[in-house]
Amino acid sequence: MSSSSPLRTLIVDDERLARSELRRLLGPHDGVEVVGEAANADEAEAALRKHEPDLLLLDVQMPGDSGFDLLERLDAVPHVVFVTAYDEYAIRAFEVNALDYLVKPVEPERLAEAVETVQERATETTPQAAVSEEGEPRRTLTAEDQVFVKDGERCWFVQLADVRLFEAAGNYTRLYFDGETPLIHRSLSYLEDRLDPDRFFRASRQHILNLRWVDDVTPWSKGKLKAVLEDGTEVELSRRRSRAFREQLSL
């Protein structure tokens, strides 16, 4: 998104009056374009695919799937500001997880602050939603994309560039970033099919490496290689993947 482009915004709330109020409050903001509305997670998923917004104003509590459930269904997410009627105790969880949120009824000043924050971030990077649908070609996930991760009561928006290692855990995958190791409900093979192969390398049945985090590669046993990440983590490459690694990096 360029600095002159409007912030393409999708409003998701099960209450029609709440959607109308958000649209009205956004009216005076020249740098914002409301591209659509949705009343539930299914409508939102379709609207994300159609409009590819820069910003998602997302109600947390909706009938059926919640706002969190929607984000967990997406392979990558745009900028998100939650809209919540949660009580004070629950709001503290948003603050601890550094999630942007607005409390209903939304105050114009707080909305303006949230929009300004997103606009500042969007001049640096504009993550786009990636929505999988059977039969459609899937967009490659780049290092600039961000994913939503929820592990118990903890939540993160994580840029893929910051994930140094992906580790298989059955039908789940463990992400390693910033000292955190949560699980996401995606298999390692699924992620391998989606991630940019020039940046993310399948090292073995158990691991995918972020090549930008590889600090050193040394010969290991029986023709295999061992990668050492910047944090000191050691990952053994299988013999077949060691050959592919040498070819890809011309070693």
Side-chain angles (χ1 to χ4, degrees):
M1 173 185 167
S2 68
S3 58
S4 60
S5 301
L7 199 64
R8 294 168 49 80
T9 302
L10 176 66
I11 299 171
V12 181
D13 196 302
D14 63 294
E15 298 178 359
R16 181 181 59 81
L17 291 178
R19 297 196 304 273
S20 298
E21 177 65 3
L22 281 172
R23 184 183 280 271
R24 184 187 71 80
L25 292 174
L26 289 169
H29 295 270
D30 294 334
V32 176
E33 176 190 1
V34 177
V35 295
E37 298 180 8
N40 54 55
D42 289 339
E43 288 184 9
E45 192 169 349
L48 284 163
R49 187 181 301 111
K50 177 180 179 181
H51 298 295
E52 298 183 345
D54 306 308
L55 170 62
L56 188 59
L57 289 177
L58 180 61
D59 188 15
V60 175
Q61 293 174 301
M62 297 183 290
D65 284 351
S66 69
F68 290 138
D69 294 330
L70 168 66
L71 295 179
E72 288 188 284
R73 281 157 53 174
L74 305 179
D75 289 331
V77 298
H79 294 292
V80 178
V81 174
F82 292 101
V83 182
T84 177
Y86 276 179
D87 60 23
E88 183 179 352
Y89 173 80
I91 287 172
R92 283 203 294 272
F94 283 79
E95 294 170 342
V96 167
N97 288 300
L99 303 179
D100 287 336
Y101 67 93
L102 300 169
V103 179
K104 296 179 179 180
V106 175
E107 298 178 356
E109 296 79 7
R110 278 288 296 120
L111 178 60
E113 290 174 5
V115 168
E116 183 178 355
T117 298
V118 173
Q119 287 174 325
E120 290 173 355
R121 293 175 184 168
T123 59
E124 301 169 2
T125 177
T126 305
Q128 295 290 322
V131 187
S132 291
E133 185 172 46
E134 190 173 350
E136 287 190 356
R138 294 171 173 173
R139 178 172 71 80
T140 297
L141 300 180
T142 71
E144 286 68 42
D145 280 311
Q146 69 173 2
V147 295
F148 176 75
V149 181
K150 189 173 188 296
D151 193 8
E153 295 302 312
R154 303 188 67 197
C155 306
W156 301 266
F157 287 104
V158 187
Q159 195 169 24
L160 288 174
D162 296 328
V163 181
R164 63 183 183 274
L165 182 66
F166 302 79
E167 183 177 66
N171 291 327
Y172 291 76
T173 296
R174 189 174 301 281
L175 308 187
Y176 289 77
F177 62 92
D178 296 337
E180 307 290 350
T181 58
L183 292 169
I184 61 171
H185 197 184
R186 299 282 193 278
S187 70
L188 199 67
S189 294
Y190 179 90
L191 291 174
E192 181 186 15
D193 288 340
R194 301 302 313 278
L195 292 168
D196 179 2
D198 291 331
R199 179 67 177 267
F200 301 95
F201 183 82
R202 182 71 181 259
S204 65
R205 294 177 63 184
Q206 286 296 110
H207 295 110
I208 293 175
L209 300 173
N210 183 337
L211 294 175
R212 294 288 176 86
W213 282 86
V214 175
D215 186 54
D216 191 22
V217 179
T218 59
W220 200 234
S221 64
K222 299 179 180 178
K224 293 187 285 188
L225 297 173
K226 181 174 67 175
V228 182
L229 306 187
E230 290 182 8
D231 67 341
T233 301
E234 297 182 351
V235 178
E236 183 178 320
L237 280 66
S238 69
R239 186 178 295 111
R240 182 175 64 85
R241 298 309 295 159
S242 292
R243 288 196 298 269
F245 189 87
R246 290 187 178 96
E247 292 172 2
Q248 182 167 331
L249 274 70
S250 301
L251 295 179

